[in-house]
């Protein structure tokens, strides 16, 4: 299967309010969060070490601490997403990057909520749209993105067919 699925949100006028379930808080990056971020991502997106997180995220030119969001439970970061930009200095085109929650904390819409925190950031900082790349099998994430108002980007007919499978899986037809 060639290439990832892509989605876009044009404008941020219809975003819902942000409210967390009891026991959870939202914060942004603090120095030394690389280990906790790696631990979260290692449960769902790739293989990470602290060193690799520095190299590929927090030491990058376009990284800003205020753009990396964590939902915490007590002191423990349990979900994360990043308001990324694909090139340094970009001010209009946001990119939703690396959404993941620890398995013990899934099923509470933390993925939806940490994504919403990213979208509020883009809205409040004058960005015009937000894109993301994702994979066909990531049904909880895809359902959250659709609910928030992301739309599929159909790059070719293969994407239309793949999205039909996604909709069928979300509706329990597959
Ligand atoms: C993405 C992620 C953070 C979402 O976790 P979450 O916010 O706890 O999401 P939930 O488990 O509550 O699932 C979201 C929705 O998908 C539904 N869902 C989950 N699995 C499903 C399945 N197999 N078929 C149909 N619906 C499903 C849930 O019922 C829920 O629907 P609801 O909100 O109407 O109740 C989490 O799944 C994760 O960390 N996954 C691994 C990393 C990943 O895939 N990241 C996305 C990269 S693009």
């Amino acid at each position: 299967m060639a290439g990832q699925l892509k989605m876009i949100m044009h404008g941020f006028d219809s975003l819902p309010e942000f409210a967390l379930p009891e026991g959870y808080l939202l914060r942004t990056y603090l120095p030394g969060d690389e280990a906790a971020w790696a631990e979260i991502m290692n449960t769902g997106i790739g293989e990470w070490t602290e060193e690799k997180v520095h190299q590929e995220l927090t030491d990058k030119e376009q990284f800003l601490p205020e753009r990396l969001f964590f939902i915490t439970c007590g002191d423990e970061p349990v979900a994360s997403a990043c308001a990324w930009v694909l090139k340094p200095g970009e001010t209009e085109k946001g990119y939703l990057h690396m959404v993941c929650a620890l398995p013990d904390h899934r099923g509470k819409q933390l993925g939806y909520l940490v994504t919403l925190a990213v979208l509020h950031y883009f809205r409040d900082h004058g960005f015009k749209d937000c894109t993301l790349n994702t994979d066909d099998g990531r049904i909880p994430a895809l359902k959250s993105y659709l609910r928030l108002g992301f739309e599929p980007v159909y790059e070719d007919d293969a994407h239309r067919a793949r999205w039909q499978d996604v909709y069928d899986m979300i509706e329990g037809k597959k």
Side-chain angles (χ1 to χ4, degrees):
M1 193 177 290
Q4 286 191 290
L5 295 176
K6 297 178 195 315
M7 302 184 85
I8 189 162
M9 183 178 290
H10 296 286
F12 305 107
D13 292 341
S14 308
L15 292 178
E17 292 298 309
F18 182 86
L20 283 166
E22 205 177 323
Y24 293 94
L25 293 172
L26 181 74
R27 70 164 173 82
T28 54
Y29 169 86
L30 296 171
D33 273 336
E34 282 79 3
W37 189 89
E39 192 182 329
I40 296 169
M41 297 305 149
N42 283 338
T43 69
I45 316 180
E47 288 179 25
W48 296 87
T49 60
E50 268 183 74
E51 191 187 359
K52 189 176 164 194
V53 181
H54 275 286
Q55 283 168 3
E56 299 197 13
L57 189 72
T58 56
D59 291 351
K60 288 269 191 193
E61 190 181 344
Q62 63 265 58
F63 177 76
L64 286 178
E66 66 184 36
R67 292 183 180 176
L68 179 55
F69 292 90
F70 289 96
I71 293 176
T72 58
C73 181
D75 287 338
E76 186 190 16
V78 298
S80 183
C82 190
W84 195 242
V85 288
L86 293 175
K87 55 179 196 307
E90 172 65 61
T91 57
E92 295 190 351
K93 294 184 174 304
Y95 182 81
L96 175 67
H97 198 31
M98 306 299 286
V99 180
C100 195
L102 291 178
D104 281 354
H105 295 269
R106 292 183 193 167
K108 297 175 183 169
Q109 298 206 325
L110 298 187
Y112 171 96
L113 289 166
V114 78
T115 298
L116 182 58
V118 165
L119 296 172
H120 278 193
Y121 177 93
F122 285 137
R123 178 193 67 191
D124 296 346
H125 291 80
F127 282 73
K128 296 208 169 19
D129 60 40
C130 179
T131 55
L132 65 86
N133 289 358
T134 186
D135 305 301
D136 309 56
R138 298 189 183 276
I139 297 301
L142 289 158
K143 190 170 180 185
S144 304
Y145 301 151
L146 288 166
R147 182 182 290 150
L148 282 161
F150 279 96
E151 297 166 21
V153 176
Y154 300 115
E155 289 191 323
D156 54 43
D157 286 348
H159 278 212
R160 277 187 193 278
R162 285 165 64 185
W163 273 104
Q164 190 53 55
D165 284 345
V166 168
Y167 290 126
D168 287 349
M169 281 202 274
I170 286 175
E171 288 164 22
K173 292 184 193 161
K174 283 207 168 173

